[in-house]
Amino acid sequence: MIRIAICDDEKEMSDRTAKLASDFFRRKNLQTTLLQFSGGEELLRYDKPIDILFLDIQMKGPDGMETARKLRERGFKGFLIFITIFKEMVFQSFEVQAYDYLVKPLEEAHFERTMERLYSSMQNACEANLLVRKGSESRMIPFDEIIFCEIIDRKIYLHLVSAEVADFYERIENLENRLDGRFYRCHRSFLINLQHLKGYKDGRAYMTGGTEIPVSRLRAKEFSGVILQYMKEWRP
């Protein structure tokens, strides 16, 4: 499920953007959730994840640029596409890591080109993210935000850099196959992200945040080699 938000104080423009975005992803056989906001204040009050945001720049109250700055400051990492009547606004869009900008009135061909590029970017981004499904909700969690994974009674607990713990049901063997080479199963109940390994001593892995993870005796023999391999292949 792709979560799309449109923030525009012109309802006709908001509805057109919503339809174009919905039609695009329907052709890709992907489900979407569409949210529409009439201004920056309303959008800033929304505290749930957004994957793609179409944001009008010329709005009353906090304009689109100010709204975008505030969103980025509080950690918004989704794709940001500005909608504007002024082409020169593209230069300011770099300040808030905008993916692209669309000029009003929206041209369908231009919209399609932007969305095709964004779709490719999303596919590439998925390679370094973990898709977590819990009930009817889905979210993408970047690998580098996962400190370690723990399994308790068939449930996976992802311990994140933000101190959040995300839980869902899955076999740890399946999870291991979905992660990349920076993750190592050091114990039957733990997968650690070597990117967040701070030290190792006497069978204990010391992780970001101060957590100590046990390393089983069977894995301890190969652990030093695993760390060296990680440093060779994954460290910049």
Side-chain angles (χ1 to χ4, degrees):
M1 181 73 70
I2 299 171
R3 295 157 296 198
I4 301 172
I6 301 103
C7 184
D8 197 313
D9 56 5
E10 298 178 36
K11 189 177 187 306
E12 183 177 345
M13 178 59 65
S14 179
D15 289 344
R16 175 165 168 74
T17 306
K19 183 178 187 307
L20 288 171
S22 178
D23 289 347
F24 175 84
F25 284 109
R26 187 179 298 114
R27 292 194 296 273
K28 300 293 185 183
N29 295 316
L30 292 171
Q31 293 184 327
T32 57
T33 295
L34 283 166
L35 302 162
Q36 292 176 260
F37 301 91
S38 60
E41 288 186 0
E42 184 184 2
L43 173 60
L44 290 168
R45 287 195 296 269
Y46 185 77
D47 61 356
K48 294 182 180 179
I50 295 172
D51 298 312
I52 303 170
L53 171 61
F54 294 92
L55 182 58
D56 183 22
I57 291 182
Q58 291 77 32
M59 296 187 297
K60 294 180 180 178
D63 64 15
M65 195 63 65
E66 183 181 352
T67 300
R69 289 193 186 98
K70 290 180 178 179
L71 287 171
R72 291 301 192 198
E73 285 171 3
R74 73 185 196 189
F76 172 64
K77 294 183 179 179
F79 291 96
L80 171 61
I81 298 175
F82 278 125
I83 299 175
T84 177
I85 58 174
F86 300 114
K87 290 184 179 181
E88 59 269 22
M89 295 301 294
V90 65
F91 298 108
Q92 293 186 41
S93 68
F94 287 112
E95 299 175 18
V96 289
Q97 298 88 50
Y99 184 80
D100 203 349
Y101 74 102
L102 298 169
V103 178
K104 295 182 180 181
L106 292 183
E107 295 182 5
E108 189 168 347
H110 187 184
F111 186 92
E112 288 288 318
R113 288 195 296 271
T114 293
M115 295 306 293
E116 285 291 351
R117 289 195 302 106
L118 185 145
Y119 179 65
S120 295
S121 297
M122 291 178 68
Q123 289 182 307
N124 292 335
C126 285
E127 295 177 3
N129 289 268
L130 180 67
L131 176 63
V132 172
R133 293 188 176 92
K134 185 177 181 181
S136 60
E137 295 291 321
S138 297
R139 62 181 290 195
M140 300 294 291
I141 300 178
F143 286 168
D144 58 10
E145 292 186 11
I146 302 171
I147 300 175
F148 66 95
C149 316
E150 181 179 14
I151 184 166
I152 303 175
D153 296 331
R154 293 177 51 247
K155 182 178 278 191
I156 299 289
Y157 295 84
L158 303 180
H159 295 258
L160 308 180
V161 172
S162 64
E164 178 190 358
V165 179
D167 62 276
F168 59 102
Y169 286 100
E170 184 162 20
R171 291 174 58 85
I172 196 168
E173 292 82 5
N174 294 340
L175 175 62
E176 189 174 9
N177 290 332
R178 294 170 59 196
L179 298 171
D180 62 22
R182 79 192 84 177
F183 289 86
Y184 177 68
R185 190 173 179 183
C186 64
H187 185 278
R188 65 181 181 181
S189 299
F190 292 97
L191 274 162
I192 62 172
N193 185 347
L194 297 171
Q195 180 179 347
H196 292 291
L197 179 68
K198 298 302 181 184
Y200 173 64
K201 184 179 180 181
D202 299 330
R204 312 291 292 181
Y206 297 87
M207 309 300 296
T208 295
T211 304
E212 299 178 21
I213 305 294
V215 178
S216 69
R217 283 182 293 178
L218 290 174
R219 299 299 176 99
K221 293 181 180 180
E222 65 179 16
F223 196 42
S224 295
V226 168
I227 295 172
L228 289 173
Q229 188 68 20
Y230 162 75
M231 295 179 68
K232 179 181 177 181
E233 295 184 1
W234 291 92
R235 282 286 177 89

